[in-house]
Amino acid sequence: MRVTSLLSAIVLLSGYCSALINPFLPGWNPDPTFLRVGEDYFVATSTFEYFPGHPIYHSKNLVDWELIGHALNRPSQLSLFGTPTDAGLWAPGLRYNNGTFYLVATARHAYTNEYRLFPRSFYVTTDDIFKGEWSDPIYFDSLGYDADLFFDQNGDVYNTWCGINNAVDKIYGIYQNKIDITTGNSLTPDELIFSGTLPLNSSSRPEGPHVYLINGTYYLLIAEGGTDQHHRATIQRGPSPSGPWENNPKNPILFNGADPSLPVQRTGHSDIVEGADGSWWGVALGGRPQGGNDSHIQLGRESYLFPVTWEDGWPVFNNGNPISEHIEGVLEDKSPLTNYTNNFDSDNLDNTFYYVRTPYKPFHSLTARPGYLRLNANAYAPGDRDSAALLLRKQTSYDEVFETELDFTPTDNLTEAGISVYYGDQLHNEIAVTGDPDGGEGRFIKVRTIVQAEQGGPWALTYTNNTVTTVQYYPLSTSEGPVKLTAVGKPTEYTLGYAEANGSWVYPITFDSAAISVPPFGGFFFKGAAFGIYSTGNGRSSLVPADFAYWNQTPSVAT
């Protein structure tokens, strides 16, 4: 086993010794997949119903990470029309072979009862990951998710994924076959190669498989235990890419859930790489509960980095210690958090913005009114299972302030524009400018919150599963002109506010962060919070432009 010391790795990678700060990709970035090509490191993560899909992050030193693009950025690659919240793109696999990059993905489009089996996974390719022009999808024949490619030294290519035994029992396992890498066609039958280390039932969920060949030995690294506090990583080794597998006696090699008091929980779904200097590193997802409550995890699952060493032919994650927010003596003491300001003085948006589902056509412009981002409304609003005129950026810190200025003159009480603290269709909260709710003259501030309903109430305007929607209105003193809007994020709450012209801030409502981190009945929690701007006709077309003057997003600790 060729492994250099951690001291050597630190000197080569950073030249400065203090503490690795996690998560290295703050804000929701689940299911990280890890790749090194030469001196370049890459990580891709999940995006679910957001578009574009699967961000690609790049680093030269494992400290400074840059979002260089998305693998799926065209409707021909990713058609998320009507896709439910938390469906869409699940865990990717990022691999490289003979000059070609491969991004493996799974797009799930439904959760309905007749959808008995998993969707097909697929892969896209590029020979220049920085240019970002990936191919259209090449589909596998197999059904499952968390698929990944392994290129064996003899030229065989293996597809390994999480599948189920049948459409009735739905017992999960790790499946594999050989494929033609040109067409994606199967060359061998699907084979169950591993059932995990936990008791075999519908909750054990062996998934996220990665196969490696390291010093003549094959390894199978998987995730187990579901996506909550039981999530973990385990590893096996064997004589071939298909096993049979010898269990690591120290499994799980990553599991923070044994101690619920740890500040990082839900650790798992890992991937490892060898550095150019012979050091080894791993990534995994994890979540940071707030206020001692595991439901307060509105940033979702983020990406964590840690050193990997070897003992007796087995990898050891983080020297056998739980994954933490600070790992002493590793890399550079540098926060990944940064202030973000956009004055909309460019002709194009940067690649940190997302749509909810694939947009049918452009609805924003940076040239219609120079110095502003204009949103042209459609009939859909945040929460509708379609593509509203809504642009989002991920929240990156539990203490984070989002602010913008909106120039918008509504024509009635259906035309509406504002900002959102957004998770998904049923978990989102807005403050906006709209017309008189009673049909009169003038402009009003509209505040809409969707919170978890307690047994027996309180009841408000609408009731959906276990959430209650409340709408409140506040008159503005002017019929036109700019209005500032803000969302102030704290570890266990959000506050929404507004200010007219040069007037003082007014904060009409504060709501519990569980409102965007506890899923409604039958729902999932796979993503995390984002801040957004939107414009809508609430079921009607709208000719009223919504012009936003800037976007300021300030986390609590910025560099």
Side-chain angles (χ1 to χ4, degrees):
M1 185 65 59
R2 186 173 68 92
V3 180
T4 58
S5 68
L6 280 179
L7 178 60
S8 173
I10 295 164
V11 171
L12 287 171
L13 286 168
S14 68
Y16 176 76
C17 177
S18 183
L20 186 160
I21 297 180
N22 272 315
F24 75 101
L25 296 180
W28 65 274
N29 275 287
D31 310 318
T33 178
F34 204 9
L35 176 67
R36 179 186 65 83
V37 178
E39 296 181 350
D40 296 296
Y41 295 88
F42 303 94
V43 169
T45 62
S46 299
T47 43
F48 301 95
E49 75 271 26
Y50 277 34
F51 184 94
H54 290 322
I56 309 291
Y57 299 92
H58 168 252
S59 178
K60 286 280 192 182
N61 58 8
L62 297 176
V63 175
D64 302 294
W65 291 88
E66 178 189 6
L67 175 60
I68 60 173
H70 294 79
L72 303 175
N73 52 35
R74 304 188 305 274
S76 63
Q77 298 172 304
L78 185 63
S79 299
L80 299 175
F81 300 120
T83 300
T85 292
D86 293 311
L89 289 178
W90 288 6
L94 184 61
R95 295 296 178 252
Y96 177 83
N97 187 62
N98 290 336
T100 300
F101 291 88
Y102 297 83
L103 190 287
V104 188
T106 304
R108 183 161 189 165
H109 297 285
Y111 283 128
T112 50
N113 290 334
E114 73 274 10
Y115 201 64
R116 301 177 303 119
L117 295 170
F118 289 120
R120 286 188 183 183
S121 295
F122 60 90
Y123 57 97
V124 292
T125 66
T126 184
D127 58 5
D128 187 344
I129 196 170
F130 294 100
K131 192 173 182 180
E133 295 180 355
W134 294 79
S135 70
D136 280 347
I138 302 169
Y139 284 89
F140 299 118
D141 296 322
S142 55
L143 298 177
Y145 66 96
D146 289 5
D148 195 26
L149 291 172
F150 173 69
F151 297 86
D152 203 2
Q153 57 188 355
N154 65 358
D156 290 340
V157 182
Y158 292 81
N159 174 30
T160 310
W161 68 93
C162 175
I164 53 177
N165 60 335
N166 58 60
V168 178
D169 299 329
K170 295 185 179 180
I171 302 299
Y172 294 78
I174 304 301
Y175 289 78
Q176 187 184 80
N177 66 6
K178 293 181 186 179
I179 66 162
D180 181 331
I181 194 58
T182 302
T183 63
N185 293 342
S186 296
L187 299 178
T188 61
D190 301 352
E191 178 186 0
L192 175 66
I193 65 167
F194 193 59
S195 295
T197 66
L198 297 174
L200 189 58
N201 55 48
S202 60
S203 66
S204 60
R205 293 293 180 101
E207 57 188 11
H210 297 302
V211 176
Y212 314 94
L213 176 60
I214 302 171
N215 286 350
T217 299
Y218 294 90
Y219 292 84
L220 174 65
L221 176 64
I222 69 168
E224 298 189 65
T227 59
D228 59 13
Q229 67 271 22
H230 302 293
H231 203 46
R232 66 195 67 196
T234 60
I235 196 163
Q236 296 73 37
R237 66 187 179 191
S240 80
S242 306
W245 302 110
E246 173 193 355
N247 184 56
N248 183 352
K250 294 186 178 180
N251 275 331
I253 58 172
L254 174 61
F255 180 45
N256 280 30
D259 183 355
S261 69
L262 292 173
V264 180
Q265 293 290 323
R266 307 187 184 199
T267 52
H269 203 105
S270 186
D271 200 359
I272 60 175
V273 300
E274 182 181 14
D277 62 346
S279 60
W280 282 83
W281 302 89
V283 294
L285 62 78
R288 295 178 287 166
Q290 300 295 296
N293 188 339
D294 192 53
S295 67
H296 289 284
I297 193 169
Q298 60 268 28
L299 294 192
R301 299 169 298 162
E302 303 165 290
S303 286
Y304 289 75
L305 178 70
F306 50 87
V308 176
T309 53
W310 293 83
E311 293 180 4
D312 301 322
W314 293 108
V316 178
F317 287 4
N318 194 33
N319 293 315
N321 299 315
I323 301 303
S324 60
E325 293 178 280
H326 296 83
I327 300 178
E328 296 298 329
V330 179
L331 298 177
E332 183 177 343
D333 191 2
K334 182 177 182 181
S335 172
L337 298 173
T338 58
N339 293 332
Y340 178 85
T341 298
N342 194 327
N343 294 316
F344 301 133
D345 50 8
S346 171
D347 290 344
N348 297 289
L349 282 178
D350 62 64
N351 58 19
T352 63
F353 286 88
Y354 290 90
Y355 308 92
V356 178
R357 306 180 180 90
T358 308
Y360 294 91
K361 61 180 181 180
F363 56 72
H364 73 275
S365 173
L366 286 159
T367 58
R369 183 181 177 184
Y372 289 82
L373 172 59
R374 172 166 292 182
L375 294 187
N376 297 305
N378 56 41
Y380 297 101
D384 291 333
R385 190 166 152 177
D386 208 280
S387 183
L390 169 66
L391 284 173
L392 299 164
R393 287 188 84 252
K394 298 174 184 178
Q395 183 181 347
T396 59
S397 172
Y398 280 103
D399 288 281
E400 187 158 322
V401 178
F402 167 51
E403 180 187 319
T404 188
E405 183 179 273
L406 169 64
D407 191 0
F408 178 68
T409 305
T411 55
D412 54 35
N413 57 12
L414 292 179
T415 50
E416 172 188 333
I419 68 173
S420 178
V421 180
Y422 189 89
Y423 174 86
D425 290 347
Q426 293 177 285
L427 304 178
H428 56 93
N429 299 266
E430 285 81 41
I431 184 167
V433 176
T434 189
D436 186 345
D438 297 321
E441 300 294 326
R443 296 189 302 173
F444 281 70
I445 289 292
K446 179 180 181 180
V447 180
R448 176 174 49 246
T449 56
I450 303 176
V451 299
Q452 301 299 309
E454 299 177 2
Q455 184 68 30
W459 295 96
L461 298 183
T462 61
Y463 180 75
T464 304
N465 291 331
N466 62 330
T467 59
V468 170
T469 300
T470 302
V471 179
Q472 303 173 47
Y473 294 90
Y474 304 88
L476 290 169
S477 62
T478 59
S479 59
E480 59 182 18
V483 177
K484 294 180 180 179
L485 301 171
T486 189
V488 181
K490 295 295 182 182
T492 60
E493 65 184 28
Y494 291 86
T495 298
L496 301 178
Y498 68 95
E500 294 188 71
N502 295 319
S504 300
W505 283 100
V506 179
Y507 299 98
I509 196 163
T510 296
F511 60 90
D512 195 300
S513 62
I516 56 167
S517 57
V518 178
F521 178 77
F524 302 96
F525 183 75
F526 292 157
K527 302 189 304 296
F531 296 119
I533 58 175
Y534 73 96
S535 183
T536 178
N538 281 302
R540 297 287 186 271
S541 299
S542 172
L543 302 180
V544 184
D547 293 334
F548 294 86
Y550 58 83
W551 184 302
N552 287 339
Q553 198 171 328
T554 309
S556 60
V557 180
T559 56

